[in-house]
């Protein structure tokens, strides 16, 4: 899977145009069907991008949101719920992105509530975890990943957990140009798999789809994807141009044998 997080970029009409460009590249690429593609525009672009994707039948490109509120409706000014996302065609939603955890103050408990709400509302959550630079330097990476995953997944059964996607995104690598080495990402993904086995049940970790995110681009994607434990990428900056996004998808498709 390759998912594009547009963050707070692109108006509705700019987003629809970018989505059409991505779909045109998908249609021209015979290997594209080997990779599940998700694009996550800001809330204001979801309807227009959803319509653009729906008009291009069988595009294979899915729509995702960048965040949601855990409640279905209510007095939560500025928030958007799962059913509202489904109504504009979303199938996926990112929860616990590091910018929401560290800039907007989301806690592990809030992320756990959003994960459950996404599943309740029929959305596939892409659950972000990852350590800060200070935590890595203090050798606390595994501790942080175990804490974040345990909080998010405890109490879920194996089938429910399997309906989610995990994105390991070291905070120091997001938007910085400092990509984790394939070995650093692999080791973190192995910690995540072992934690899911412990928290949810045996074999949950090996079955999980775990993406790497943090400064993935057309130049480094293939090396990351060559690691068996890396099932794809969550891409920020490089998803804002169809050509660079598509090179990352092509790198994933080339490795993923049918
Ligand atoms: C992200 O926003 O999740 C991300 C990984 O951003 P970037 O690719 O720009 O580092």
């Amino acid at each position: 899977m390759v998912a594009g997080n547009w963050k707070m970029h692109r108006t509705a009409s700019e987003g629809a145009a970018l989505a059409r460009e991505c779909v045109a590249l998908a249609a021209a690429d015979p290997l594209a069907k080997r990779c599940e593609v998700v694009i996550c525009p800001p809330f204001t672009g979801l309807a227009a991008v959803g319509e653009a994707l729906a008009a291009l039948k069988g595009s294979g490109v899915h729509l995702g949101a960048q965040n949601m509120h855990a409640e279905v409706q209510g007095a939560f000014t500025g928030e958007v719920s799962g059913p509202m996302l489904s109504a504009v065609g979303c199938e996926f939603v990112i929860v616990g992105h590091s910018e929401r955890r560290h800039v907007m103050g989301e806690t592990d408990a809030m992320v756990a509530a959003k994960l459950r709400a996404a599943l309740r509302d029929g959305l596939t959550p892409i659950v972000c975890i990852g350590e800060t630079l200070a935590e890595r330097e203090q050798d606390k990476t595994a501790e942080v990943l175990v804490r974040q995953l345990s909080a998010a997944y405890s109490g879920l059964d194996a089938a429910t957990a399997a309906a989610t996607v995990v994105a390991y995104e070291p905070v120091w690598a997001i938007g910085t140009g400092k990509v984790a080495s394939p070995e650093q990402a692999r080791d973190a993904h192995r910690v995540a798999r072992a934690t899911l086995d412990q928290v949810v049940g045996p074999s949950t970790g090996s079955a999980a789809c775990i993406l790497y995110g943090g400064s993935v681009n057309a130049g480094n994607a293939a090396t990351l994807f060559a690691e068996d434990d890396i099932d794809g990428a969550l891409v920020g900056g490089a998803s804002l141009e169809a050509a660079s996004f598509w090179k990352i998808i092509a790198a994933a498709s080339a490795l993923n044998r049918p």
Side-chain angles (χ1 to χ4, degrees):
M1 173 183 288
V2 174
N5 172 19
W6 294 357
K7 309 195 190 201
M8 198 170 72
H9 295 285
R10 303 291 181 259
T11 63
S13 59
E14 288 166 354
L18 177 53
R20 280 192 284 271
E21 274 187 75
C22 289
V23 172
L25 290 171
D29 185 344
L31 297 182
K33 293 253 178 304
R34 292 184 184 176
C35 177
E36 193 159 28
V37 180
V38 183
I39 49 182
C40 303
F43 287 141
T44 52
L46 287 172
V49 172
E51 277 164 29
L53 294 179
L56 302 157
K57 282 209 183 320
S59 72
V61 179
H62 304 275
L63 186 65
Q66 298 173 17
N67 180 35
M68 65 179 285
H69 195 277
E71 298 296 330
V72 168
Q73 61 183 12
F76 301 105
T77 302
E79 294 290 326
V80 171
S81 73
M84 293 171 184
L85 299 178
S86 300
V88 289
C90 285
E91 296 170 82
F92 292 83
V93 60
I94 298 171
V95 298
H97 189 278
S98 77
E99 285 148 20
R100 299 221 52 93
R101 290 181 189 261
H102 297 287
V103 184
M104 284 18 143
E106 282 190 12
T107 61
D108 288 342
M110 288 163 80
V111 177
K114 289 180 184 208
L115 160 56
R116 282 156 183 74
L119 292 164
R120 173 200 67 207
D121 297 335
L123 296 159
T124 300
I126 300 174
V127 184
C128 299
I129 56 169
E131 80 288 359
T132 62
L133 183 59
E135 289 163 339
R136 174 162 284 270
E137 286 174 349
Q138 291 161 27
D139 265 339
K140 288 189 174 160
T141 300
E143 188 186 314
V144 170
L145 302 184
V146 170
R147 191 201 75 225
Q148 292 175 333
L149 280 172
S150 303
Y153 282 86
S154 60
L156 293 192
D157 61 49
T160 310
T164 72
V165 175
V166 174
Y168 166 61
E169 298 209 304
V171 180
W172 48 270
I174 299 179
T176 58
K178 287 185 199 155
V179 66
S181 69
E183 296 74 24
Q184 286 173 319
R186 176 202 63 202
D187 291 349
H189 286 213
R190 287 183 181 170
V191 169
R193 291 190 198 283
T195 307
L196 289 172
D197 280 350
Q198 271 207 320
V199 173
V200 181
S203 305
T204 312
S206 52
C209 174
I210 308 187
L211 312 179
Y212 165 77
S215 297
V216 176
N217 60 34
N220 59 30
T223 324
L224 287 159
F225 295 156
E227 285 292 343
D228 282 347
D229 275 298
I230 301 178
D231 298 320
L234 179 54
V235 184
S239 70
L240 289 169
E241 301 295 337
S244 57
F245 190 47
W246 207 262
K247 282 186 188 139
I248 297 167
I249 292 158
S253 306
L255 280 169
N256 191 12
R257 306 284 172 261

